[in-house]
Amino acid sequence: MSRFVDRTVLRVMAGNGGNGCASVHREKFKPLGGPDGGNGGRGGDVIFEVDLGVHTLLDFHHRRQAKASNGKQGMGDNRNGANGDDVVLLVPDGTVVLDEHGAQLVDLVGAGTRWVAAAGGRGGLGNAALASKARKAPGFALLGELGDERELTLELRSLADVGLVGFPSAGKSSLVAALSEARPKIADYPFTTLVPQLGVVSAGEHTFTVADVPGLIPGAAEGRGLGLDFLRHIERCAVLVHVIDCATLEPGRDPVSDLDALEAELARYIPGLGGDLANRPRIVALNKIDIPDAAELAEMVHDEIAERGWPVLAISTASRTGLRELSFRMAEEVAAYRASLPPAEPTRVVLRPHATGEVGFTVEADRDSDGGFVVRGDRPERWVRQTQFDNDEAVGFLADRLARLGVEDALARAGAVPGDPVTIGDMTFDWEPSTPSGVAITMTGRGTDIRLSQSSRVGAAERKATKIARREGTGEFAEPDTSGGPDSGEADISGDAEGETEVYTFDDSVWDDDPGDEDGR
């Protein structure tokens, strides 16, 4: 048995991105050929698409969740992982998507309209993509990002040109059956119609749709009966037709009081899409005039209702009296509404670039820990999720990225000191600043960095003096000294008996400069 479902809750889960690969190219005679790890694949999206062949949300009533596939992991030899497959969910025209708090996210109208309900995670970079001049052979890769996961509420709001408004058993279903080929359920008890029924009506050159929706009773705007389920389907209607039962036997009811009660409920209802139902065109159809008492009552209240400025027609769905006039009147109102609409424009792609100069993160004091800080921002939290914390090189890469973003300086300005706990995303670690003093450093000019004066690094002048002393200690380029002897530790220069060879002595060793010797000793 077919069912009409116009509201359901659906959990959508996008695919996760694949992890990057850390690999080193190896082949014969090239044991270390450089990094060649590929990137991970992107996770699949969950997409809603309007299909005119779908008329209900029944599929999502039985299938309460939709999940896209994950991206594949990158591989060596610069092979990227495969992207995950997208999941396309077909929804009826006029579907409204709400978040878990009831706020409207999108109104899906028009064949082929697509909306990404959950975006897949991006794949992690491999070590080939992370290589740079400063890091020629990274020994790590980035992890893939998690896909979006959210719980959405889908509501179907019928796209009918004319909505029939009336009390239960007022003859709305009979009117739709008489005007169109639709065959809604008709019975002699209230709330026979539990779900909207649409019918296509032709009047001359005009064709329009009529919606037979559940009956309206006092208190419907507060949810009594099928009130909200009914009112949701008339938000998009261009024309509202009040179907008044002139042959009711219930005490205290008459056509004027029924009309006032219906208008009061419409005035109290605030459409989720904006606008006021009080501004919609009205047509009053006094039904069941095939009964003599009803025909007499309709004639009595005709002028009183007409004073409100609404067209009033007396009809009978049983004898088909006045149906032709009613259909043409509805066609005129629908044509006037369509003519008042602005011309249709093609869908435009809207680009929203990020503003320049924004740091993209905030630093706040952690209320749960004494002296701790919390860093919030899309990029820092995403970088933390992509980091392999069991790899020291990957942790160092994360620290460099955070420092370049300005997180370290922001923590110092916020009063953080070395050792304070800092939370980014799901990770908490002790802050160890890269500056020696643990405070933010402001560069005042070339060569004026105060960290240079605090560093233990040996200066250039001191290194030069040490180098000269080392050369003098080995005897290279030493000046001749005739005053010292072999035991004095100084070089001693003298000639031999024939005066042909100069002899250099240092400690207990003797050298000459005769090139004829094999090694000069």
Side-chain angles (χ1 to χ4, degrees), residues 116-451:
V116 178
R122 290 181 292 186
L125 297 179
N127 63 341
L130 296 174
S132 63
K133 293 182 179 180
R135 187 180 288 105
K136 296 185 180 297
F140 66 97
L142 298 184
L143 302 178
E145 299 181 22
L146 299 178
D148 294 338
E149 181 176 351
R150 60 203 309 188
E151 189 172 273
L152 303 175
T153 300
L154 306 183
E155 289 185 354
L156 175 60
R157 299 175 181 176
S158 302
L159 295 176
D161 298 311
V162 178
L164 303 182
V165 183
F167 276 72
S169 300
K172 301 184 296 299
S173 299
S174 300
L175 179 58
V176 172
L179 293 176
S180 66
E181 296 296 329
R183 292 296 176 262
K185 183 179 180 180
I186 300 174
D188 58 351
Y189 56 84
F191 294 109
T192 305
T193 303
L194 298 178
V195 297
Q197 299 289 333
L198 297 180
V200 180
V201 181
S202 296
E205 300 179 353
H206 301 283
T207 301
F208 54 92
T209 57
V210 178
D212 168 28
V213 290
L216 183 64
I217 61 176
E222 286 77 28
R224 185 180 178 187
L226 299 177
L228 295 179
D229 293 334
F230 157 77
L231 291 169
R232 182 170 64 247
H233 290 281
I234 66 172
E235 288 185 11
R236 306 179 190 271
C237 295
V239 181
L240 301 181
V241 176
H242 287 296
V243 181
I244 305 299
D245 184 4
C246 294
T248 180
L249 299 179
E250 296 183 18
R253 284 185 56 185
D254 61 80
V256 176
S257 62
D258 285 358
L259 187 61
D260 292 338
L262 294 174
E263 284 296 319
E265 294 304 319
L266 295 178
R268 283 197 292 265
Y269 177 68
I270 300 176
L273 299 181
D276 188 357
L277 293 177
N279 298 327
R280 309 289 174 85
R282 265 51 164 193
I283 299 176
V284 179
L286 303 176
N287 193 19
K288 303 183 180 180
I289 62 172
D290 55 293
I291 302 175
D293 292 343
E296 183 179 352
L297 181 60
E299 184 178 355
M300 291 175 56
V301 300
H302 181 279
D303 294 339
E304 182 179 356
I305 297 176
E307 292 178 356
R308 305 187 183 190
W310 300 334
V312 182
L313 295 93
I315 64 170
S316 172
T317 57
S319 63
R320 304 184 68 87
T321 302
L323 296 186
R324 179 177 175 83
E325 292 79 2
L326 177 61
S327 62
F328 276 90
R329 187 67 185 187
M330 290 190 294
E332 292 178 4
E333 296 291 347
V334 171
Y337 171 76
R338 292 175 178 174
S340 64
L341 296 177
E345 297 182 357
T347 303
R348 297 183 301 172
V349 178
V350 179
L351 301 178
R352 296 181 175 87
H354 296 287
T356 59
E358 292 187 355
V359 295
F361 69 91
T362 59
V363 176
E364 305 172 358
D366 191 357
R367 300 178 180 178
D368 298 332
S369 63
D370 186 14
F373 295 86
V374 179
V375 179
R376 306 182 189 277
D378 179 67
R379 283 192 290 179
E381 294 177 3
R382 185 175 74 247
W383 293 345
V384 168
R385 292 193 298 266
Q386 292 179 321
T387 302
Q388 299 176 346
F389 284 94
D390 57 349
N391 188 311
D392 294 339
E393 190 176 355
V395 175
F397 179 71
L398 171 64
D400 293 342
R401 300 176 84 179
L402 294 176
R404 287 195 301 267
L405 186 61
V407 173
E408 185 172 294
D409 293 340
L411 286 171
R413 288 192 297 267
V417 297
D420 284 349
V422 176
T423 302
I424 303 179
D426 297 332
M427 295 298 299
T428 300
F429 52 90
D430 295 335
W431 183 50
E432 292 295 337
S434 61
T435 55
S437 59
V439 297
I441 301 299
T442 302
M443 305 301 290
T444 58
R446 182 178 178 87
T448 59
D449 189 352
I450 63 174
R451 290 175 292 184

